[in-house]
Amino acid sequence: MTNYWIIFLIAQEVFLFQKLDNITSKRIKNANLLDKLLANNKNVKTIVRKKYLKEVFHLYHINVKNRDGLKEYLIKNNVDAKIHYPKPIHLQPAAKFLKYKVGDFPIAESIAKSTISLPVHEYISTKDISRMVKLINQFYLKK
């Protein structure tokens, strides 16, 4: 390998790490904004953040009442809400050999039924996040 090729590879890695840091920073900022804006909604439970941990927010989860209704409402209003983990791990096909059944881990099952993922990616704007939170608040005011 020539010295030029090594310099090129190093420069490419530096660029990618800077880009990754930028993506991570934007996701953290978006998640912090969501945490703040959702804090007063009694129907929404956000995850407690530990100050000594750096989360990168591949996904942003909240736990809510009437999760499926909220998901439908958000999707109808062009918010990309998803349910990423509808079944707890002990009820997944891969864990079948462990012979766990519904009711063995009631907290995990309850969380799986109430968890919804909201967009937190680096391309979402503050305006979009505010609109999403407004829609969530409106959904629960209707109930």
Side-chain angles (χ1 to χ4, degrees), residues 78-133:
N78 300 312
V79 173
D80 190 26
K82 296 184 189 274
I83 299 168
H84 280 93
Y85 305 107
K87 284 186 182 180
I89 196 163
H90 69 283
L91 299 177
Q92 295 287 339
K96 191 173 184 177
F97 74 98
L98 297 169
K99 299 186 173 118
Y100 290 119
K101 60 189 179 314
V102 172
D104 286 344
F105 297 95
I107 295 171
E109 292 165 25
S110 173
I111 290 170
K113 290 177 186 172
S114 67
T115 300
I116 187 169
S117 300
L118 301 175
V120 72
H121 54 78
E122 64 275 16
Y123 301 109
I124 194 166
S125 69
T126 300
K127 182 179 173 183
D128 289 337
I129 291 172
S130 296
R131 179 180 171 274
M132 179 171 41
V133 171

Side-chain angles (χ1 to χ4, degrees), residues 29-47:
K29 179 179 154 238
N30 291 340
N32 288 336
L33 179 59
L34 278 165
D35 282 348
K36 179 182 173 187
L37 295 177
L38 291 169
N40 294 322
N41 188 322
K42 294 184 186 342
N43 296 290
V44 176
K45 186 174 183 183
T46 58
I47 296 170

Side-chain angles (χ1 to χ4, degrees), residues 12-108:
Q12 185 179 22
E13 291 301 313
V14 168
F15 172 77
L16 291 174
F17 278 118
Q18 288 172 342
K19 187 174 180 180
L20 183 61
D21 190 46
N22 188 37
I23 290 169
T24 300
S25 295
K26 286 181 182 176
R27 287 175 179 237
I28 290 169
K29 179 179 154 238
N30 291 340
N32 288 336
L33 179 59
L34 278 165
D35 282 348
K36 179 182 173 187
L37 295 177
L38 291 169
N40 294 322
N41 188 322
K42 294 184 186 342
N43 296 290
V44 176
K45 186 174 183 183
T46 58
I47 296 170
V48 176
R49 311 285 176 210
K50 305 289 186 189
K51 292 192 186 275
Y52 57 86
L53 295 176
K54 181 178 180 178
E55 297 179 62
V56 294
F57 297 100
H58 165 67
L59 300 173
Y60 181 88
H61 292 283
I62 55 174
N63 293 88
V64 296
K65 297 176 181 177
N66 191 7
R67 187 251 336 250
D68 295 333
L70 176 61
K71 178 186 169 218
E72 281 181 37
Y73 180 75
L74 291 173
I75 289 172
K76 281 181 189 174
N77 286 281
N78 300 312
V79 173
D80 190 26
K82 296 184 189 274
I83 299 168
H84 280 93
Y85 305 107
K87 284 186 182 180
I89 196 163
H90 69 283
L91 299 177
Q92 295 287 339
K96 191 173 184 177
F97 74 98
L98 297 169
K99 299 186 173 118
Y100 290 119
K101 60 189 179 314
V102 172
D104 286 344
F105 297 95
I107 295 171

